[in-house]
Structures are given as C-alpha cells and as structure tokens.
Amino acid sequence: MQMNGHEKQKEQSRQMIEEALFALMKEKNYAQITISELTRRADVARRTFYRLYKSREDVLDVFLQKLCRVYREQYPVLTHYDVRQIAEEYFCFWYQYREVLLLMHENGLDPVLYYHLNCSALEVIQGRMGRRAVSETDVEGSDRGAAPDTEYFAVYSAGGFCSLLFRWIGTGMIEPPRKYAAAVSDSILNFIKTAV
C-alpha cells in the first residue's frame, strides 16, 4: 500500500518526534521531558504534535504498537511449534531496538513495553499458528464462558518470553541474540524432557 504525500508527511513527523523523545531520554529522565522540549527537538509545531498524539505517553504507545505490528507481520505461519526458531526470531527482532529498550528500562518504562507485548500476544500466536488457532473450549467458572485455547497459550507464552526479554534487558542485552536464544531454547527443552 503506497502512502500519499500527506500520509508520508505525517509518518515523517512521527519519526522525528520519536527520535526526539529517545534523544531527550539519553539526556534526562522521561518523566521530566516536556511537550515543548519534544517539539523543539523534533522541529515540529505543537499543533502538529497534537494532531498526531494526545500526550508524551502516546508517543511511546504508538511507537510500541508499530513495533508489535511489524513483529507480527514479519514472521510466517509455523508448520509446527519450534521453540528454537521462535526464540531466535523473537530475540533477534528485539535486539534491533536494543538502544530504545535499554533507554526504556533505565527510565522505569518496562511496564509500558510489557503491556504492549502482552496485548499483541494473541494476534502473534494466531498469526504464527494460522487456522489451527481458532478452536474454543468451555472454561468452567470463567466469567467469559467459552475462551479460545490459544488465548491461554498466548498469554502463557508471551509472559515467559517477556520475562526472558526483561531478564536480557536487565543485563544490558550484552549477550548476542542468537546465543541468548540458543541458551533459552536449550534450557526450556531440557527442562521439558526431564519434567515429562
């Protein structure tokens, strides 16, 4: 889908604002950054900012939604659930954004990232599993009645991978992504073998 001139301009303004936010976060705490500083650094008018965003928090939300969408769209349907493949793709993808993730961590914004990863988990799992992801099962005692099997698996899987991502971020993401993915997947598979 090709963007028209207005859409391109909006996207360029978004990118300039995102870059300005992350540049400012290198200099000061996120909580201290004002919209005035952000628009000055991005070289955009305040009204442009408010056409695109509601608040400073909205900049992060839109950016993370975009990253989660890119992640969902980047990887094809799996022929089978392969922990090694998933771990490598997951950690290699997020390593591309190492600088941003570390900045967010330093600014106490891990819960914002966790929220977006968790919100996109079901769509990611359904996208990776294709048609196999549509079955439903009754859940006794659930307020929601019937819940998709994959919803529970998605939340479980996302929680585990998010925790592993945050562990890696907490260590500065020094270990290369493929090495970290191999250690994670080998550990998970070895545990499963011994636990069964």
Side-chain angles (χ1 to χ4, degrees), residues 133-147:
V134 297
S135 66
E136 291 191 355
T137 304
D138 281 337
V139 179
E140 193 173 322
S142 171
D143 294 341
R144 297 163 18 123

Side-chain angles (χ1 to χ4, degrees), residues 31-70:
Q32 298 170 334
I33 297 170
T34 66
I35 300 300
S36 295
E37 288 175 303
L38 194 48
T39 56
R40 233 183 348 268
R41 180 65 66 98
D43 197 24
V44 299
R46 271 180 89 86
R47 71 178 180 274
T48 300
F49 178 89
Y50 284 111
R51 278 190 204 127
L52 299 171
Y53 303 104
K54 296 176 195 143
S55 64
R56 178 190 61 203
E57 292 76 15
D58 200 27
V59 177
L60 275 182
D61 287 341
V62 170
F63 176 76
L64 291 171
Q65 287 167 6
K66 179 175 58 178
L67 289 188
C68 289
R69 185 177 59 253
V70 169

Side-chain angles (χ1 to χ4, degrees), residues 49-100:
F49 178 89
Y50 284 111
R51 278 190 204 127
L52 299 171
Y53 303 104
K54 296 176 195 143
S55 64
R56 178 190 61 203
E57 292 76 15
D58 200 27
V59 177
L60 275 182
D61 287 341
V62 170
F63 176 76
L64 291 171
Q65 287 167 6
K66 179 175 58 178
L67 289 188
C68 289
R69 185 177 59 253
V70 169
Y71 178 77
R72 282 194 313 267
E73 294 169 355
Q74 186 166 340
Y75 299 107
V77 173
L78 294 166
T79 54
H80 63 283
Y81 190 85
D82 183 338
V83 173
R84 283 187 173 87
Q85 178 185 350
I86 292 166
E88 184 169 317
E89 290 168 350
Y90 184 79
F91 296 117
C92 285
F93 177 83
W94 289 109
Y95 191 77
Q96 299 171 83
Y97 303 98
R98 179 179 184 265
E99 188 175 332
V100 171

